[in-house]
Amino acid sequence: MQPLLKGRPHRLAVLDYGLFQVHANGRIIGICGFLIQTDASENVLIDTGFPAKYADDAEAATAEDELGSFGRVLSLTHQNLAPAQLALLGLSTSDIDLMIQSHTHIDHVGFMDAFPNTPILIAAAERALPRPLYWSGKQPMGWPDRKYIEIHSDIEIGAGFDVFLVPGHAPGQLAFMVSLPETGAVLLTSDAISRAAEIDEKFAGSWDETRAIENGARLMDMAAEQKAKVIFGHSPEQWPTLRKAPAWYD
């Protein structure tokens, strides 16, 4: 595959898509996305958060999707939706050059259809599904009519921007390593490692626990090798410490 980006990562913003509480152990997790800008003025969006209906009426949306068996939305306003988070950075949906879906669970795909001219990079294993995974067998969303860039293995989409295929949490789970000018290497694990404790918990409850363990170890080995800053997918301990948009990691 030819590189998809002309530039290399210049800065990274963490997008705040709201707070959620997991019933099983009461942990409170941030829902995050990422915006990476390159030095060629390209904008790459990773994940799009919950659907808008959760900002309109979280209780009704939770009942409709039967999400209450897993947890509850604690804080999710219209300011936590993808367009508003991009606006904090001075961007609109039309400014996104490439969208990446790390996987297709409900808290990652809510605005996948809101970028009409933007190609979507996604694992082939996810795109092969009749509909996005969404949640607990409920699959109300269809695939937007877009150009899809399907990947079957690890790829470099541009200098200093690697995408890793790491199934386990989901069939086509992706993770990312970006190299920033000042911060250096940053590993974005997404839900391949939702929090550090998941490693000790052997990724219990994953779609494929064995593969999750293998790929979690692979990611942490790469992070150690590159001395990378690791940003986990849903870490209760880390989330409050992260800089959020409109702040940047340079």
Side-chain angles (χ1 to χ4, degrees):
M1 180 184 293
Q2 293 294 318
L4 300 176
L5 302 175
K6 297 177 181 178
R8 61 182 305 120
H10 175 63
R11 54 185 185 172
L12 176 151
V14 178
L15 307 181
D16 180 355
Y17 290 149
L19 284 176
F20 189 85
Q21 185 171 36
V22 180
H23 287 326
N25 53 22
R27 70 180 182 273
I28 295 173
I29 61 174
I31 308 300
C32 63
F34 302 96
L35 191 287
I36 295 101
Q37 285 189 334
T38 75
D39 56 13
S41 299
E42 298 157 307
N43 294 303
V44 180
L45 175 66
I46 299 177
D47 292 339
T48 61
F50 272 102
K53 64 184 181 180
Y54 280 85
D56 295 334
D57 188 334
E59 186 175 342
T62 298
E64 181 180 4
D65 291 333
E66 299 178 10
L67 189 58
S69 61
F70 180 68
R72 65 188 181 106
V73 171
L74 286 183
S75 175
L76 202 167
T77 72
H78 286 87
Q79 287 303 306
N80 297 112
L81 300 181
Q85 286 292 299
L86 292 175
L88 292 175
L89 303 170
L91 300 173
S92 69
T93 55
S94 63
D95 292 317
I96 303 304
D97 299 290
L98 176 67
M99 180 198 297
I100 303 177
Q101 284 297 157
S102 67
H103 61 300
T104 60
H105 283 152
I106 184 173
D107 54 329
H108 297 262
V109 297
F111 277 80
M112 187 167 59
D113 63 350
F115 302 78
N117 299 310
T118 303
I120 300 173
L121 186 145
I122 192 170
E126 298 276 310
R127 183 63 183 90
L129 300 168
R131 287 172 171 264
L133 288 166
Y134 204 70
W135 163 249
S136 190
K138 297 182 73 68
Q139 295 180 293
M141 293 179 62
W143 293 105
D145 183 12
R146 300 287 185 274
K147 175 185 177 182
Y148 289 90
I149 303 166
E150 300 180 28
I151 67 170
H152 300 264
S153 60
D154 298 350
I155 63 167
E156 183 181 65
I157 63 172
F161 199 141
D162 291 292
V163 178
F164 306 120
L165 180 61
V166 285
H169 176 77
Q173 178 69 56
L174 302 179
F176 316 92
M177 186 84 80
V178 296
S179 180
L180 299 176
E182 295 183 14
T183 306
V186 180
L187 174 65
L188 308 174
T189 67
S190 182
D191 288 13
I193 311 175
S194 68
R195 60 198 187 283
E198 196 172 31
I199 298 170
D200 294 331
E201 295 166 4
K202 306 298 183 185
F203 298 87
S206 296
W207 168 76
D208 187 323
E209 293 175 5
T210 299
R211 297 177 79 182
I213 292 168
E214 293 171 354
N215 282 312
R218 182 164 77 97
L219 289 173
M220 294 309 292
D221 285 347
M222 286 190 288
E225 182 180 341
Q226 297 196 34
K227 297 181 173 59
K229 175 181 178 64
V230 179
I231 298 181
F232 296 105
H234 299 292
S235 171
E237 299 79 19
Q238 186 182 51
W239 180 247
T241 72
L242 295 174
R243 275 179 243 161
K244 318 289 196 311
W248 295 91
Y249 289 92
D250 296 311

